[in-house]
Amino acid sequence: MRSKAPVTMSLSSGKGGVGKTFIAINLAACLVQLGKKVLMIDCDLGLANVDIMLGLNPTHTLKDIAFEEMTAREVLLRTQGGFDLIAASSGVKEMGQLLLENIDRIKTAIQEIAGDYDYVILDTGAGISETVLQFNLFADRNIIVLNRELTSLTDAYATIKVIFQMFGKNRFDLIINSAPHAEEALRIFNHIDSICRRFLGFSLNYLGFISHDESVPRSIMKQTILSLAFPQSPPGVNCTALARKINESFLDRPESGQKIQADGPVI
Amino acid sequence: MPELGPGIKKKEREQLRGDKVRPEKQALIPEIPPHEEEGKREKTLAEILRHRGTGLIFFNSLAQKKKAVIALLEDLSPEEQEALLPLQSLTVDLEDDLLEKVLELQQENYRLQALALVDGLTGLYNNRFFTTQLEKEMSRTRRTGLPCSLLMMDLDNFKALNDTLGHLEGNRFLISVANVLRESLRSADTICRFGGDEFTVIMPATNLYESVRVADRLLKAVQALAEPLGLGISLSAGVCEYTAASPLSLHELVHATDSALYEAKRSGKNQVTVQGKVEPTFDESGMVSVEEKEALFALKDHLQKQGEEDEV
């Protein structure tokens, strides 16, 4: 049994449909492949879809923790990816937003079992709701996922700005999804990074990218985990690289705002 | 007829009012002593008489309320007028007096009006005021673009209290609930007793997310209040938001909120149910400045070019 606190990371995007959940699932699976114990929590209470993507049909969900005071262990699911999952309830209208105390209950429940894991991945909802912000505040590392769409770029930037202004957090890790190639991903990263430095006064950390590939929608349709089903596909390779990078850099947990790393982007 | 001020010359004055006062009687009324602050000083009886000219003079001094002095100058003999002279020293401010009376009546009017709008038991606003106020807040929302929220609440198992402890205790509890609501809400919020054990709150400039939190807080407060009674009394609430874009009429808004309350009751009581979609608290579009957007969009040309290349 582990006793050390795990690294908690949140995945947010601002805009929906950017591929945040896909990345969260594949990262979780890849980290398991690296021998880590991973807990994933679907915090997207408005439109839960981790369970759907994994072909699960949970009886108990995060809602039971938030409102019925069930423990995290009572609602845990074991997934095909080897990681544990706390699913969210979909289609419950009033669940889109949680009251602070419900969020606190969730946080407490996570902390109770956190010692069993190396990584806790929080898949937050779309938008910049207070629930999303609270999970970002709770997480040690804040990963922002964006793609090539301008709306995604703007929403990712808005998310970063709000979290920075509300909580003073200035350490964000970026993943560019559906990039045609590494150079394009880096270009998008450099662009948003330069805007952050110019307007917010800090730089971002580049984690990596996921290639635009038709194996992605195929794996989602089959409700399989791409990085396990097609590990040699470009996105599969990207996911493994991302997991390695996270495993190398996140465990150090530097004290304050990060500097651009040596292997980081060329500005 | 224009107001006749002391500044107007005697002859002009006479002309203006078609004076019928006989010259000898006019002489009775002394000239007004010049005063440095016109308008501020008290008027003498003589002045009043001068103002009103002949005819019925009715005044009601502060010192002798209800005692009216009627002087019909034309019917007074010179002796009588002589006898009246000491009264000149009695200064009265007729206009102020009248004004005071008007204000008194106005206050009384407000009090009665307020009585008609306030619930006698709890001192909260009543149903009638609720409708007027909701109308106002809805139009304010349309004007300012700021959403307002409507909250309808109903006590659960309140009947048990009336049945076991009597209606007097029941009423006392309703007053306590009203006080809890008053303490928990902002002064801008309008709290009404809708009737029986039903309460409504109109919250200006409050979105659905915020009002759900408020409702939740009220539920907790009432639960704490009812706990010692041990009768399972709690609060159910329905919340609905009205935005500038909302197509709802006042009636539909109330109905929607009422349905939410019904849903809260139906699905187990002591809970808040919302009608409509709970929007995120932060508007992303407002968060990013024009300069930031311009900078972000500078990538656009490149991305479009890239998109074309992909399709080829």
Side-chain angles (χ1 to χ4, degrees), chain B residues 27-45:
Chain B
L28 175 81
I29 302 159
E31 275 298 322
I32 306 149
H35 266 274
E36 57 291 338
E37 279 184 288
E38 200 109 32
K40 265 200 173 176
R41 74 190 145 81
E42 289 184 313
K43 291 185 179 104
T44 62
L45 177 64

Side-chain angles (χ1 to χ4, degrees), chain A residues 93 97-101 127-128 130 133 148 150 153-154 157-158 161-162 165-166 184 187 191 195 199, chain B residues 209 213 216 220 276 278 280-282 284 287-288 291-292 295-300 302-303 306 310:
Chain A
K93 236 192 277 178
Q97 291 291 323
L98 287 172
L99 302 172
L100 277 180
E101 63 180 272
I128 316 179
E130 178 137 357
L133 290 173
R148 300 194 300 150
L150 276 180
L153 195 71
T154 316
Y157 176 75
K161 186 177 173 183
V162 172
Q165 286 182 340
M166 285 202 62
E184 176 71 358
R187 197 192 300 271
H191 186 71
I195 291 163
F199 290 100
Chain B
Y209 178 55
R213 293 176 76 159
D216 199 61
K220 297 261 160 5
V278 184
T281 322
F282 298 96
E284 298 94 310
M287 284 307 302
V288 181
E291 290 81 18
E292 288 169 324
L296 286 162
F297 284 11
L299 197 64
K300 192 177 165 188
H302 171 75
L303 287 178
Q306 191 62 53
D310 284 355

Side-chain angles (χ1 to χ4, degrees), chain A residues 15 35 54 58 60 73 128 175 220:
Chain A
K15 188 184 180 296
L54 293 171
H60 293 298
R73 280 200 181 83
I128 316 179
I175 297 175
I220 293 170

Side-chain angles (χ1 to χ4, degrees), chain B residues 116-134:
Chain B
L117 300 174
V118 162
D119 168 55
L121 179 69
T122 59
L124 299 176
Y125 288 111
N126 64 17
N127 203 346
R128 196 179 317 169
F129 184 77
F130 166 78
T131 314
T132 332
Q133 193 62 18
L134 186 57

Side-chain angles (χ1 to χ4, degrees), chain A residues 10-239:
Chain A
S10 63
L11 269 89
S12 317
S13 61
K15 188 184 180 296
V18 175
K20 178 172 47 65
T21 300
F22 167 81
I23 292 176
I25 290 171
N26 280 279
L27 266 184
C30 288
L31 285 166
V32 170
Q33 294 291 304
L34 294 173
K36 300 295 167 186
K37 298 202 81 179
V38 181
L39 169 66
M40 180 166 164
I41 302 166
D42 187 356
C43 306
D44 192 349
L45 299 156
L47 195 73
N49 47 18
V50 177
D51 50 328
I52 297 165
M53 279 199 186
L54 293 171
L56 295 167
N57 198 4
T59 43
H60 293 298
T61 66
L62 197 61
K63 189 191 176 192
D64 298 306
I65 295 177
F67 296 99
E68 308 297 329
E69 300 187 33
M70 283 178 84
T71 64
R73 280 200 181 83
E74 287 174 289
V75 303
L76 267 188
L77 298 164
R78 179 51 73 90
T79 67
Q80 48 174 311
F83 56 91
D84 289 345
L85 171 73
I86 295 175
S89 315
S90 215
V92 185
K93 236 192 277 178
E94 61 266 41
M95 282 289 287
Q97 291 291 323
L98 287 172
L99 302 172
L100 277 180
E101 63 180 272
N102 302 124
I103 296 175
D104 281 343
R105 219 172 278 160
I106 292 171
K107 287 177 184 172
T108 311
I110 295 171
Q111 275 155 353
E112 276 169 15
I113 56 162
D116 298 352
Y117 300 96
D118 298 298
Y119 292 103
V120 175
I121 299 175
L122 308 172
D123 182 19
T124 72
I128 316 179
S129 66
E130 178 137 357
T131 309
V132 170
L133 290 173
Q134 285 299 324
F135 284 122
N136 268 283
L137 175 64
F138 177 64
D140 304 313
R141 302 294 291 239
N142 304 111
I143 299 174
I144 308 290
V145 179
L146 64 154
N147 62 17
R148 300 194 300 150
E149 289 168 44
L150 276 180
T151 46
S152 163
L153 195 71
T154 316
D155 286 5
Y157 176 75
T159 308
I160 290 168
K161 186 177 173 183
V162 172
I163 294 169
F164 169 64
Q165 286 182 340
M166 285 202 62
F167 308 125
K169 285 196 167 197
N170 63 356
R171 210 154 54 115
F172 296 91
D173 302 284
L174 264 70
I175 297 175
I176 315 291
N177 194 21
S178 334
H181 42 74
E183 292 73 28
E184 176 71 358
L186 198 58
R187 197 192 300 271
I188 295 168
F189 170 79
N190 282 338
H191 186 71
I192 190 167
D193 178 56
S194 72
I195 291 163
C196 276
R197 282 186 294 155
R198 185 172 142 205
F199 290 100
L200 306 178
F202 59 85
S203 49
L204 306 168
N205 183 37
Y206 182 57
L207 273 186
F209 77 103
I210 309 283
S211 301
H212 180 80
D213 194 274
E214 60 180 34
S215 60
V216 174
R218 225 189 306 148
S219 76
I220 293 170
M221 248 171 21
K222 285 187 178 168
Q223 296 185 323
T224 54
I225 299 171
L226 182 137
S227 50
L228 301 181
F230 313 105
Q232 298 312 315
S233 68
V237 173
N238 298 147
C239 283

